[in-house]
């Protein structure tokens, strides 16, 4: 798991003057976050390699389904977080977005490493959410719990300023609630101790994120 990184170079905090200086600071911040996301992914891969493989989950196991589906779920959260970090007008929103992007990218690395160490493909033959007893019923228009639609993602990409801040917070709250539901599924039905340990950490992190997201939304009047 990767620790959240701070974004000291966010525009409101950088000692620069003029529009050109603010743009330079923003570009530097984006580059720094991009580097942190890459490092997080690599550390996630390294962490996944430490998982013992005495008993390997099979292709249709709950562990394999969770790793595949949560990778896709996390990937959308990473994109949302990067949008908030790059375009948000509120410093806390940018901080939250950057932290979520780096943290969940590291978790993607861990889950993909599990699949490789188990000798499984990144994508399997099972439908999304088939590993949870009620998983298929939780799909909405083919999307896993909490995931944004293509139209919602397009709206987030196009938003600016305060509207973007509020939209990101609302979408990420929904996204995290769906993620916690999926994590609880593997905690209830999984049998691999290492996967359960990481899943519990994921749940704790997302529940903490939810408190921060909700408080920020309330502060911004959303």
């Amino acid at each position: 798991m990767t620790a959240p990184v701070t974004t000291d170079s966010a525009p409101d905090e950088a000692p620069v003057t003029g529009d050109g200086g603010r743009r330079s600071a923003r570009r530097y911040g984006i580059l720094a976050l991009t580097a942190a996301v890459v490092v997080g992914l690599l550390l996630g891969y390294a962490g996944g390699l430490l998982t013992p493989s005495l008993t390997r989950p099979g292709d249709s196991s709950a562990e394999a389904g969770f790793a595949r589906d949560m990778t896709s779920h996390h990937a959308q959260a990473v994109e949302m977080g990067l949008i908030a970090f790059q375009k948000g007008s509120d410093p806390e929103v940018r901080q939250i977005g950057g932290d979520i992007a780096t943290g969940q990218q590291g978790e993607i690395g861990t889950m993909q490493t599990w699949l490789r160490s188990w000798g499984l493909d990144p994508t399997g033959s099972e439908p999304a959410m088939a590993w949870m007893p009620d998983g298929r019923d939780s799909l909405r228009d083919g999307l896993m719990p909490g995931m944004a639609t293509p139209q919602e993602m397009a709206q987030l990409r196009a938003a600016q300023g305060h509207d973007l801040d509020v939209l990101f917070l609302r979408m990420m709250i929904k996204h995290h609630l769906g993620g916690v539901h999926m994590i609880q599924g593997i905690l209830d039905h999984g049998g691999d101790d290492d996967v359960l340990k990481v899943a519990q950490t994921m749940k704790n992190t997302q529940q903490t994120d939810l408190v921060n997201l909700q408080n920020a939304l309330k502060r911004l009047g959303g």
Side-chain angles (χ1 to χ4, degrees):
M1 303 290 295
T2 56
V5 299
T6 58
T7 54
D8 294 337
S9 54
D12 289 356
E13 303 167 40
V16 297
T17 58
D19 291 342
R22 283 193 291 272
R23 285 195 296 269
S24 296
R26 178 64 63 88
R27 284 195 296 271
Y28 178 81
I30 294 168
L31 289 173
L33 181 63
T34 301
V37 167
V38 173
V39 170
L41 180 62
L42 294 175
L43 290 175
Y45 283 139
L49 288 172
L50 299 178
T51 304
S53 56
L54 296 178
T55 346
R56 295 183 175 183
D59 191 62
S60 61
S61 66
E63 287 80 5
F66 171 77
R68 288 163 174 156
D69 286 352
M70 190 56 79
T71 290
S72 298
H73 203 273
H74 271 24
Q76 188 180 71
V78 170
E79 181 182 359
M80 291 166 63
L82 289 173
I83 291 171
F85 177 81
Q86 180 178 356
K87 297 174 58 182
S89 64
D90 182 78
E92 185 183 9
V93 168
R94 294 200 304 273
Q95 179 73 53
I96 291 172
D99 288 348
I100 288 174
T102 53
Q104 297 215 357
Q105 190 66 46
E107 291 171 358
I108 288 173
T110 296
M111 292 184 290
Q112 289 299 297
T113 301
W114 287 343
L115 292 169
R116 284 198 300 274
S117 70
W118 299 336
L120 303 177
D121 291 332
T123 57
S125 57
E126 294 289 323
M129 300 297 293
W131 55 276
M132 281 182 67
D134 64 343
R136 297 187 187 185
D137 293 335
S138 68
L139 295 175
R140 294 292 180 270
D141 298 322
L143 297 172
M144 290 177 280
M147 289 191 71
T149 65
Q151 294 77 15
E152 288 171 330
M153 288 301 298
Q155 185 181 2
L156 181 64
R157 295 185 195 105
Q160 300 287 338
H162 180 268
D163 289 343
L164 183 144
D165 296 337
V166 171
L167 183 59
F168 165 75
L169 293 170
R170 287 175 174 165
M171 289 174 62
M172 190 57 76
I173 288 170
K174 178 183 175 183
H175 200 276
H176 266 16
L177 288 172
V180 169
H181 173 72
M182 293 170 64
I183 294 167
Q184 190 59 53
I186 194 62
L187 291 174
D188 290 341
H189 304 290
D192 185 284
D193 289 342
D194 293 284
V195 172
L196 296 178
K197 182 178 178 180
V198 172
Q200 185 62 58
T201 301
M202 285 185 187
K203 181 180 178 182
N204 296 343
T205 300
Q206 292 201 26
Q207 287 178 326
T208 299
D209 286 346
L210 280 167
V211 173
N212 296 332
L213 289 161
Q214 289 162 346
N215 286 342
L217 184 61
K218 182 177 179 181
R219 177 175 60 79
L220 293 176

